Amino acid sequence: MTQYDSYTDQTMSYLQEYVHVFHETNDVFLRFRAGKKAKRAPADAHKTLLQEQTEVQASVQDLTALEKARLQLENTLERRELVDEILKDGAYYNFPKIHLISHYAEQIPKFSVLGQYSTEISETMNKAFKDAYQRSSRVNSMSQIVTTYTRDHTFPMKDLTIKTWNRVREEGELTGGVGIKAAQGQVYLKLRGKIELGVVGNLVELEGSMALGDVVLATRVFLTQDVRCTYSDVQ
Amino acid sequence: MVCGDGNVWLCFPKLVCWPTDHMENATIHGIASNRCPTCIIPTDKLGEYSESAYLTCSHKDYIAAYNKSDESSLNANGVKNIKNALWSIPNLNPPELVRADILHNILLGVFEHRMGWIQGFLEHHDRINVLDYLWRRLPPYSGFFVPTKAYCVVLQWSGKEMQNLGKVILGTFTTALRRNIDQARPTGAQV
């Protein structure tokens, strides 16, 4: 009931009813809840009872084959009952995860369906770190994990940026520095950076700081991009 | 805070939920691992069904007990005698942070326990081989991926595998119980 993407009063009543029925009928599985410690006691008791039964069976003479078979069957059932009883005594359902289910019926009406709060999404993010550790030399792995993770993260980011640039170019949106060739773009951005930092303020400074070819390139891009963006009627 | 659109906003951050598994919840709430982070249910009642809900944990009382160094009171409520970081956050009631975690609580928690019980039950009634046989022969269906290994061979289950298993376990379990012998049904050629 917790896996569904929506809920109604009826589904909530189903959830509560199922939890109730589970607690009513969970005795069926109780003997299988016994831990290693609880399993040792019935094994010893079974052994002792088997010895007693064998002694009793040996002392009784004059039994027909049918009576012997019946006695053996009774003894087997007695041993099975004893083991069941001891296992059930040593087993219980008192663990927090069973109890936490009872809070689901309160939380769903308050915060909506449970799928959105599942840690499944955040747990999948651990995979990148685990992969990075596998690719490390396992010696001082922390810095290697950070480097690998950063690199793996950077590539998809670059891919996204390139996709956006392509989309913008296809749509014909004239945004400064977007949708131009890589070599032109580098020179253009370098020029923009220098202007913003105040390194370049006039043409003389520009000639001093950049190669002539770069200046021509950057100026052409500047004219086709920035000027056209600002004054849309200039062609 | 400067927003992506260039506007400056006045922000009031509020911690509203902390989705984690139970052990992490026990750590951040400073409680024993056999205690509920939301309510004050006693440890020996965790496996019982209760018609009425138990009271919510009162962290105000825990703070008062901690300030008085009343260790016995804290121990009685299963609270560790340490200063909890959540107590210093304004307008925060720690039990309200707890959210149901399907992955750890249901898929890798109760489901995994349940599979252990079912396996024990079928072993006890000599039907475990039938379960394996049925498990390998499950047909493909929309939203269900066919298991490639026998049930008993798999040592560790992932959340998705458990979710997949949850869709078919009831049918497989009842069919296994309905078989008379703990063997695969013979094929036409074997007959």
Side-chain angles (χ1 to χ4, degrees), chain A residues 146-177:
Chain A
V146 172
T147 311
T148 311
Y149 181 77
T150 313
R151 189 173 55 233
D152 288 354
H153 179 70
T154 307
F155 276 110
M157 286 305 292
K158 292 278 183 198
D159 277 347
L160 282 174
T161 311
I162 291 166
K163 273 180 192 169
T164 310
W165 281 5
N166 283 335
R167 185 178 54 78
V168 168
R169 188 168 55 180
E170 280 165 16
E171 287 172 3
E173 191 182 326
L174 297 169
T175 308

mmCIF file of all heavy atoms in Angstrom, chain A residues 146-177:
data_model
loop_
_atom_site.group_PDB
_atom_site.id
_atom_site.type_symbol
_atom_site.label_atom_id
_atom_site.label_comp_id
_atom_site.label_asym_id
_atom_site.label_seq_id
_atom_site.Cartn_x
_atom_site.Cartn_y
_atom_site.Cartn_z
ATOM 1 N N VAL A 146 37.834 12.626 -4.425
ATOM 2 C CA VAL A 146 37.336 13.983 -4.697
ATOM 3 C C VAL A 146 37.663 14.389 -6.136
ATOM 4 O O VAL A 146 36.815 14.906 -6.871
ATOM 5 C CB VAL A 146 37.933 14.998 -3.681
ATOM 6 C CG1 VAL A 146 37.592 16.427 -4.069
ATOM 7 C CG2 VAL A 146 37.429 14.703 -2.285
ATOM 8 N N THR A 147 38.913 14.097 -6.570
ATOM 9 C CA THR A 147 39.336 14.460 -7.935
ATOM 10 C C THR A 147 38.481 13.725 -8.970
ATOM 11 O O THR A 147 37.959 14.335 -9.907
ATOM 12 C CB THR A 147 40.823 14.090 -8.147
ATOM 13 O OG1 THR A 147 41.558 14.592 -7.053
ATOM 14 C CG2 THR A 147 41.367 14.677 -9.424
ATOM 15 N N THR A 148 38.330 12.418 -8.781
ATOM 16 C CA THR A 148 37.563 11.617 -9.747
ATOM 17 C C THR A 148 36.108 12.066 -9.791
ATOM 18 O O THR A 148 35.530 12.221 -10.869
ATOM 19 C CB THR A 148 37.621 10.118 -9.360
ATOM 20 O OG1 THR A 148 38.962 9.772 -9.110
ATOM 21 C CG2 THR A 148 37.052 9.242 -10.453
ATOM 22 N N TYR A 149 35.547 12.269 -8.597
ATOM 23 C CA TYR A 149 34.126 12.665 -8.535
ATOM 24 C C TYR A 149 33.923 14.016 -9.211
ATOM 25 O O TYR A 149 32.976 14.206 -9.968
ATOM 26 C CB TYR A 149 33.664 12.713 -7.075
ATOM 27 C CG TYR A 149 32.215 13.093 -6.938
ATOM 28 C CD1 TYR A 149 31.205 12.172 -7.192
ATOM 29 C CD2 TYR A 149 31.847 14.392 -6.573
ATOM 30 C CE1 TYR A 149 29.881 12.507 -7.080
ATOM 31 C CE2 TYR A 149 30.521 14.742 -6.472
ATOM 32 C CZ TYR A 149 29.536 13.795 -6.719
ATOM 33 O OH TYR A 149 28.218 14.138 -6.621
ATOM 34 N N THR A 150 34.858 14.955 -8.945
ATOM 35 C CA THR A 150 34.740 16.291 -9.543
ATOM 36 C C THR A 150 34.834 16.215 -11.061
ATOM 37 O O THR A 150 34.068 16.845 -11.778
ATOM 38 C CB THR A 150 35.859 17.222 -9.001
ATOM 39 O OG1 THR A 150 35.900 17.083 -7.606
ATOM 40 C CG2 THR A 150 35.617 18.664 -9.341
ATOM 41 N N ARG A 151 35.782 15.395 -11.532
ATOM 42 C CA ARG A 151 35.962 15.259 -12.982
ATOM 43 C C ARG A 151 34.707 14.650 -13.616
ATOM 44 O O ARG A 151 34.185 15.145 -14.609
ATOM 45 C CB ARG A 151 37.183 14.379 -13.264
ATOM 46 C CG ARG A 151 37.565 14.354 -14.739
ATOM 47 C CD ARG A 151 38.868 13.630 -14.963
ATOM 48 N NE ARG A 151 38.852 12.295 -14.407
ATOM 49 C CZ ARG A 151 39.759 11.800 -13.567
ATOM 50 N NH1 ARG A 151 40.745 12.550 -13.168
ATOM 51 N NH2 ARG A 151 39.670 10.575 -13.115
ATOM 52 N N ASP A 152 34.200 13.576 -12.979
ATOM 53 C CA ASP A 152 32.993 12.921 -13.513
ATOM 54 C C ASP A 152 31.789 13.853 -13.494
ATOM 55 O O ASP A 152 30.907 13.758 -14.328
ATOM 56 C CB ASP A 152 32.662 11.657 -12.701
ATOM 57 C CG ASP A 152 33.643 10.549 -12.983
ATOM 58 O OD1 ASP A 152 34.480 10.741 -13.891
ATOM 59 O OD2 ASP A 152 33.595 9.508 -12.305
ATOM 60 N N HIS A 153 31.771 14.745 -12.520
ATOM 61 C CA HIS A 153 30.659 15.690 -12.397
ATOM 62 C C HIS A 153 30.796 16.821 -13.425
ATOM 63 O O HIS A 153 29.801 17.323 -13.943
ATOM 64 C CB HIS A 153 30.649 16.261 -10.974
ATOM 65 C CG HIS A 153 29.561 17.255 -10.741
ATOM 66 N ND1 HIS A 153 28.245 16.892 -10.688
ATOM 67 C CD2 HIS A 153 29.598 18.593 -10.567
ATOM 68 C CE1 HIS A 153 27.506 17.972 -10.481
ATOM 69 N NE2 HIS A 153 28.302 19.014 -10.404
ATOM 70 N N THR A 154 32.086 17.194 -13.706
ATOM 71 C CA THR A 154 32.336 18.330 -14.601
ATOM 72 C C THR A 154 31.923 18.012 -16.035
ATOM 73 O O THR A 154 31.351 18.861 -16.722
ATOM 74 C CB THR A 154 33.834 18.726 -14.563
ATOM 75 O OG1 THR A 154 34.195 18.915 -13.209
ATOM 76 C CG2 THR A 154 34.084 20.014 -15.308
ATOM 77 N N PHE A 155 32.213 16.786 -16.478
ATOM 78 C CA PHE A 155 31.910 16.428 -17.868
ATOM 79 C C PHE A 155 30.424 16.541 -18.197
ATOM 80 O O PHE A 155 30.068 17.164 -19.208
ATOM 81 C CB PHE A 155 32.461 15.033 -18.196
ATOM 82 C CG PHE A 155 33.918 15.074 -18.580
ATOM 83 C CD1 PHE A 155 34.884 14.559 -17.743
ATOM 84 C CD2 PHE A 155 34.307 15.645 -19.786
ATOM 85 C CE1 PHE A 155 36.226 14.621 -18.088
ATOM 86 C CE2 PHE A 155 35.643 15.708 -20.141
ATOM 87 C CZ PHE A 155 36.609 15.197 -19.292
ATOM 88 N N PRO A 156 29.535 15.966 -17.379
ATOM 89 C CA PRO A 156 28.108 16.157 -17.677
ATOM 90 C C PRO A 156 27.690 17.620 -17.659
ATOM 91 O O PRO A 156 26.830 18.039 -18.447
ATOM 92 C CB PRO A 156 27.386 15.395 -16.560
ATOM 93 C CG PRO A 156 28.363 14.432 -16.053
ATOM 94 C CD PRO A 156 29.705 15.042 -16.249
ATOM 95 N N MET A 157 28.331 18.419 -16.773
ATOM 96 C CA MET A 157 28.003 19.852 -16.719
ATOM 97 C C MET A 157 28.408 20.538 -18.023
ATOM 98 O O MET A 157 27.683 21.368 -18.555
ATOM 99 C CB MET A 157 28.711 20.525 -15.531
ATOM 100 C CG MET A 157 28.118 20.201 -14.181
ATOM 101 S SD MET A 157 26.382 20.563 -14.059
ATOM 102 C CE MET A 157 26.394 22.323 -14.154
ATOM 103 N N LYS A 158 29.601 20.157 -18.534
ATOM 104 C CA LYS A 158 30.076 20.725 -19.808
ATOM 105 C C LYS A 158 29.125 20.317 -20.932
ATOM 106 O O LYS A 158 28.803 21.126 -21.809
ATOM 107 C CB LYS A 158 31.499 20.221 -20.117
ATOM 108 C CG LYS A 158 32.555 20.751 -19.168
ATOM 109 C CD LYS A 158 33.008 22.136 -19.563
ATOM 110 C CE LYS A 158 34.108 22.622 -18.642
ATOM 111 N NZ LYS A 158 34.258 24.067 -18.722
ATOM 112 N N ASP A 159 28.714 19.050 -20.896
ATOM 113 C CA ASP A 159 27.780 18.545 -21.917
ATOM 114 C C ASP A 159 26.498 19.367 -21.917
ATOM 115 O O ASP A 159 25.998 19.751 -22.983
ATOM 116 C CB ASP A 159 27.422 17.078 -21.628
ATOM 117 C CG ASP A 159 28.481 16.139 -22.157
ATOM 118 O OD1 ASP A 159 29.329 16.611 -22.933
ATOM 119 O OD2 ASP A 159 28.456 14.949 -21.787
ATOM 120 N N LEU A 160 26.004 19.632 -20.706
ATOM 121 C CA LEU A 160 24.769 20.413 -20.580
ATOM 122 C C LEU A 160 24.952 21.822 -21.146
ATOM 123 O O LEU A 160 24.077 22.352 -21.837
ATOM 124 C CB LEU A 160 24.345 20.505 -19.112
ATOM 125 C CG LEU A 160 23.669 19.269 -18.519
ATOM 126 C CD1 LEU A 160 23.439 19.465 -17.037
ATOM 127 C CD2 LEU A 160 22.336 19.017 -19.210
ATOM 128 N N THR A 161 26.135 22.408 -20.841
ATOM 129 C CA THR A 161 26.408 23.765 -21.321
ATOM 130 C C THR A 161 26.443 23.791 -22.847
ATOM 131 O O THR A 161 25.848 24.670 -23.483
ATOM 132 C CB THR A 161 27.773 24.253 -20.768
ATOM 133 O OG1 THR A 161 27.787 23.997 -19.386
ATOM 134 C CG2 THR A 161 27.992 25.722 -21.004
ATOM 135 N N ILE A 162 27.124 22.800 -23.434
ATOM 136 C CA ILE A 162 27.229 22.740 -24.905
ATOM 137 C C ILE A 162 25.846 22.565 -25.524
ATOM 138 O O ILE A 162 25.511 23.206 -26.527
ATOM 139 C CB ILE A 162 28.190 21.598 -25.321
ATOM 140 C CG1 ILE A 162 29.620 21.977 -24.920
ATOM 141 C CG2 ILE A 162 28.111 21.327 -26.810
ATOM 142 C CD1 ILE A 162 30.602 20.854 -24.953
ATOM 143 N N LYS A 163 25.039 21.714 -24.899
ATOM 144 C CA LYS A 163 23.675 21.496 -25.407
ATOM 145 C C LYS A 163 22.880 22.797 -25.391
ATOM 146 O O LYS A 163 22.139 23.115 -26.321
ATOM 147 C CB LYS A 163 22.960 20.443 -24.548
ATOM 148 C CG LYS A 163 23.211 19.025 -25.020
ATOM 149 C CD LYS A 163 22.476 18.047 -24.139
ATOM 150 C CE LYS A 163 22.964 16.634 -24.430
ATOM 151 N NZ LYS A 163 22.478 15.687 -23.449
ATOM 152 N N THR A 164 23.043 23.550 -24.287
ATOM 153 C CA THR A 164 22.318 24.818 -24.168
ATOM 154 C C THR A 164 22.774 25.793 -25.246
ATOM 155 O O THR A 164 21.958 26.466 -25.885
ATOM 156 C CB THR A 164 22.538 25.439 -22.767
ATOM 157 O OG1 THR A 164 22.280 24.450 -21.818
ATOM 158 C CG2 THR A 164 21.641 26.632 -22.526
ATOM 159 N N TRP A 165 24.083 25.868 -25.466
ATOM 160 C CA TRP A 165 24.615 26.755 -26.489
ATOM 161 C C TRP A 165 24.049 26.397 -27.860
ATOM 162 O O TRP A 165 23.650 27.267 -28.629
ATOM 163 C CB TRP A 165 26.150 26.650 -26.519
ATOM 164 C CG TRP A 165 26.826 27.414 -25.429
ATOM 165 C CD1 TRP A 165 26.219 28.072 -24.410
ATOM 166 C CD2 TRP A 165 28.234 27.595 -25.254
ATOM 167 N NE1 TRP A 165 27.151 28.644 -23.590
ATOM 168 C CE2 TRP A 165 28.405 28.370 -24.087
ATOM 169 C CE3 TRP A 165 29.356 27.184 -25.948
ATOM 170 C CZ2 TRP A 165 29.650 28.737 -23.610
ATOM 171 C CZ3 TRP A 165 30.609 27.543 -25.475
ATOM 172 C CH2 TRP A 165 30.753 28.325 -24.324
ATOM 173 N N ASN A 166 24.041 25.084 -28.135
ATOM 174 C CA ASN A 166 23.513 24.629 -29.430
ATOM 175 C C ASN A 166 22.048 25.007 -29.586
ATOM 176 O O ASN A 166 21.615 25.451 -30.642
ATOM 177 C CB ASN A 166 23.672 23.114 -29.565
ATOM 178 C CG ASN A 166 25.098 22.750 -29.900
ATOM 179 O OD1 ASN A 166 25.826 23.559 -30.470
ATOM 180 N ND2 ASN A 166 25.503 21.558 -29.528
ATOM 181 N N ARG A 167 21.313 24.818 -28.510
ATOM 182 C CA ARG A 167 19.880 25.124 -28.566
ATOM 183 C C ARG A 167 19.655 26.611 -28.823
ATOM 184 O O ARG A 167 18.845 27.004 -29.665
ATOM 185 C CB ARG A 167 19.213 24.720 -27.237
ATOM 186 C CG ARG A 167 17.706 24.884 -27.228
ATOM 187 C CD ARG A 167 17.128 24.428 -25.904
ATOM 188 N NE ARG A 167 17.728 25.071 -24.746
ATOM 189 C CZ ARG A 167 17.443 26.312 -24.342
ATOM 190 N NH1 ARG A 167 16.575 27.037 -25.012
ATOM 191 N NH2 ARG A 167 18.026 26.823 -23.282
ATOM 192 N N VAL A 168 20.458 27.416 -28.097
ATOM 193 C CA VAL A 168 20.336 28.871 -28.242
ATOM 194 C C VAL A 168 20.685 29.295 -29.665
ATOM 195 O O VAL A 168 20.010 30.106 -30.285
ATOM 196 C CB VAL A 168 21.234 29.593 -27.209
ATOM 197 C CG1 VAL A 168 21.350 31.066 -27.512
ATOM 198 C CG2 VAL A 168 20.685 29.391 -25.806
ATOM 199 N N ARG A 169 21.733 28.649 -30.236
ATOM 200 C CA ARG A 169 22.158 29.004 -31.599
ATOM 201 C C ARG A 169 21.081 28.633 -32.623
ATOM 202 O O ARG A 169 20.796 29.373 -33.543
ATOM 203 C CB ARG A 169 23.468 28.286 -31.929
ATOM 204 C CG ARG A 169 24.073 28.744 -33.240
ATOM 205 C CD ARG A 169 25.464 28.250 -33.417
ATOM 206 N NE ARG A 169 25.532 26.801 -33.282
ATOM 207 C CZ ARG A 169 26.662 26.102 -33.402
ATOM 208 N NH1 ARG A 169 27.792 26.727 -33.608
ATOM 209 N NH2 ARG A 169 26.678 24.811 -33.289
ATOM 210 N N GLU A 170 20.483 27.439 -32.378
ATOM 211 C CA GLU A 170 19.428 27.001 -33.305
ATOM 212 C C GLU A 170 18.216 27.919 -33.246
ATOM 213 O O GLU A 170 17.566 28.194 -34.249
ATOM 214 C CB GLU A 170 19.003 25.569 -32.977
ATOM 215 C CG GLU A 170 19.968 24.537 -33.546
ATOM 216 C CD GLU A 170 19.768 23.181 -32.922
ATOM 217 O OE1 GLU A 170 18.720 22.956 -32.285
ATOM 218 O OE2 GLU A 170 20.674 22.336 -33.065
ATOM 219 N N GLU A 171 17.917 28.393 -32.027
ATOM 220 C CA GLU A 171 16.755 29.272 -31.876
ATOM 221 C C GLU A 171 17.055 30.692 -32.344
ATOM 222 O O GLU A 171 16.149 31.522 -32.417
ATOM 223 C CB GLU A 171 16.301 29.290 -30.409
ATOM 224 C CG GLU A 171 15.613 27.991 -29.993
ATOM 225 C CD GLU A 171 15.356 27.947 -28.514
ATOM 226 O OE1 GLU A 171 15.644 28.937 -27.816
ATOM 227 O OE2 GLU A 171 14.876 26.895 -28.033
ATOM 228 N N GLY A 172 18.341 30.969 -32.584
ATOM 229 C CA GLY A 172 18.727 32.278 -33.104
ATOM 230 C C GLY A 172 18.710 33.375 -32.057
ATOM 231 O O GLY A 172 18.635 34.556 -32.375
ATOM 232 N N GLU A 173 18.782 32.985 -30.803
ATOM 233 C CA GLU A 173 18.789 34.006 -29.740
ATOM 234 C C GLU A 173 20.176 34.650 -29.695
ATOM 235 O O GLU A 173 21.191 33.937 -29.621
ATOM 236 C CB GLU A 173 18.474 33.349 -28.401
ATOM 237 C CG GLU A 173 18.196 34.353 -27.300
ATOM 238 C CD GLU A 173 17.943 33.638 -25.984
ATOM 239 O OE1 GLU A 173 17.379 32.537 -26.008
ATOM 240 O OE2 GLU A 173 18.314 34.184 -24.955
ATOM 241 N N LEU A 174 20.235 35.931 -29.741
ATOM 242 C CA LEU A 174 21.523 36.606 -29.804
ATOM 243 C C LEU A 174 21.966 37.033 -28.416
ATOM 244 O O LEU A 174 21.637 38.095 -27.928
ATOM 245 C CB LEU A 174 21.425 37.824 -30.736
ATOM 246 C CG LEU A 174 21.104 37.473 -32.188
ATOM 247 C CD1 LEU A 174 20.768 38.732 -32.963
ATOM 248 C CD2 LEU A 174 22.243 36.726 -32.838
ATOM 249 N N THR A 175 22.677 36.173 -27.791
ATOM 250 C CA THR A 175 23.189 36.462 -26.460
ATOM 251 C C THR A 175 24.700 36.558 -26.544
ATOM 252 O O THR A 175 25.325 35.749 -27.242
ATOM 253 C CB THR A 175 22.800 35.336 -25.484
ATOM 254 O OG1 THR A 175 21.410 35.141 -25.598
ATOM 255 C CG2 THR A 175 23.149 35.687 -24.054
ATOM 256 N N GLY A 176 25.275 37.499 -25.876
ATOM 257 C CA GLY A 176 26.714 37.735 -25.948
ATOM 258 C C GLY A 176 27.521 36.488 -25.629
ATOM 259 O O GLY A 176 27.337 35.879 -24.588
ATOM 260 N N GLY A 177 28.453 36.116 -26.578
ATOM 261 C CA GLY A 177 29.349 34.999 -26.310
ATOM 262 C C GLY A 177 28.740 33.630 -26.518
ATOM 263 O O GLY A 177 29.413 32.623 -26.396
#
